[in-house]
Amino acid sequence: MKKLLFLLLLPFLSSAQLKIAKLKYGGGGDWYANKTALPNLIKFFNQNLKGNIYPEEDIVEVGDRKIFQYPYIYMTGHGNVVFTPREAENLRNYLLSGGFLHIDDNYGMNEFIRREMKKVFPEYNFVELPFNHPIYHQKYSFPNGIPKIHEHDNKPPQGLAILHEGKVVCFFSYETDLGNGWEDKSVHNDPEEVRQEALKMGANILQFAFSSY
């Protein structure tokens, strides 16, 4: 399948504002979690990386053809995730066409994500990206890989990925909870330096997603 012309959507090639979206999925998990996260990340990205992203995220369902309108899709939650066969096929086509899925474990998603992404890419497994990978060295440098934002199970944070022909099509931020760090400070009362680390890593992910295809 030919890649979608996502480059046409990029701010430096179009005067129209780029839009990103949050993924709505089935299974009962709270796909809608972290309501202030993406608006805050968008604001940070626009201010610090001279971006032109629309200030509010859209919502798109896994099986909706509208998913192809977005170069970056964000997925989060705490619990169960279920993709129907048609949804898995739609998501696969989106990712093979140049789309980028960022799955951000808000705690409790790991087993469900691994199961459901096997429906999308039965031929691939998640692999941990090395610390010298470009996603950690965009506008901001993270020589030790993805930062730890919130403690869950006393495990190290991991940046996991599904690679297709050597390219990252899905990035899974695990045991870090970046989205909590993007939220309004009043939500979790994180120290400002922790919030800044989360926002900088999020900005790197966006920049990587926009420039890698």
Side-chain angles (χ1 to χ4, degrees):
M1 178 179 291
K2 292 182 179 180
K3 290 184 178 179
L4 296 178
L5 298 179
F6 280 126
L7 288 177
L8 295 177
L9 299 174
L10 297 185
F12 51 82
L13 292 179
S14 173
S15 59
Q17 283 189 302
L18 176 69
K19 285 190 173 184
I20 63 176
K22 180 181 285 185
L23 193 67
K24 180 179 180 180
Y25 53 85
D30 55 338
W31 62 267
Y32 46 81
N34 292 353
K35 295 184 183 298
T36 64
L38 280 181
N40 285 340
L41 176 61
I42 291 168
K43 181 179 179 180
F44 181 89
F45 184 87
N46 286 346
Q47 289 179 344
N48 294 279
L49 280 78
K50 310 301 181 186
N52 189 29
I53 305 176
Y54 188 76
E56 298 290 335
E57 83 271 22
D58 284 351
I59 304 297
V60 66
E61 297 187 14
V62 185
D64 195 332
R65 292 288 295 178
K66 291 181 180 178
I67 197 172
F68 290 88
Q69 298 175 9
Y70 307 99
Y72 169 95
I73 300 290
Y74 178 73
M75 180 180 183
T76 192
H78 293 84
N80 194 28
V81 176
V82 174
F83 297 153
T84 67
R86 187 182 69 81
E87 288 173 337
E89 181 182 13
N90 194 53
L91 185 56
R92 179 186 176 93
N93 289 339
Y94 163 76
L95 296 173
L96 293 181
S97 298
F100 188 95
L101 175 65
H102 174 200
I103 305 170
D104 187 33
D105 183 20
N106 206 355
Y107 192 48
M109 294 183 75
N110 183 50
E111 63 175 297
F112 307 113
I113 286 301
R114 291 180 182 274
R115 180 192 69 201
E116 296 307 296
M117 289 306 294
K118 268 296 182 181
K119 295 179 182 177
V120 180
F121 287 113
E123 70 271 41
Y124 296 139
N125 295 313
F126 280 105
V127 296
E128 185 169 10
L129 295 180
F131 295 167
N132 63 353
H133 191 275
I135 203 167
Y136 300 124
H137 303 279
Q138 296 288 311
K139 168 71 172 180
Y140 304 102
S141 184
F142 289 87
N144 298 314
I146 197 165
K148 185 80 167 179
I149 305 303
H150 275 188
E151 187 59 68
H152 289 148
D153 291 326
N154 198 31
K155 296 178 181 179
Q158 290 182 290
L160 306 172
I162 291 175
L163 304 177
H164 173 68
E165 296 180 350
K167 295 182 178 180
V168 177
V169 295
C170 175
F171 183 72
F172 181 24
S173 44
Y174 175 57
E175 282 291 329
T176 169
D177 212 339
L178 292 175
N180 276 8
W182 302 344
E183 289 230 74
D184 290 348
K185 186 172 183 178
S186 60
V187 177
H188 300 288
N189 201 31
D190 290 325
E192 186 57 29
E193 59 268 25
V194 172
R195 295 186 68 244
Q196 288 297 310
E197 286 291 283
L199 288 164
K200 288 177 180 178
M201 186 64 232
N204 269 19
I205 296 170
L206 284 176
Q207 187 176 34
F208 177 80
F210 296 161
S211 63
S212 297
Y213 298 94

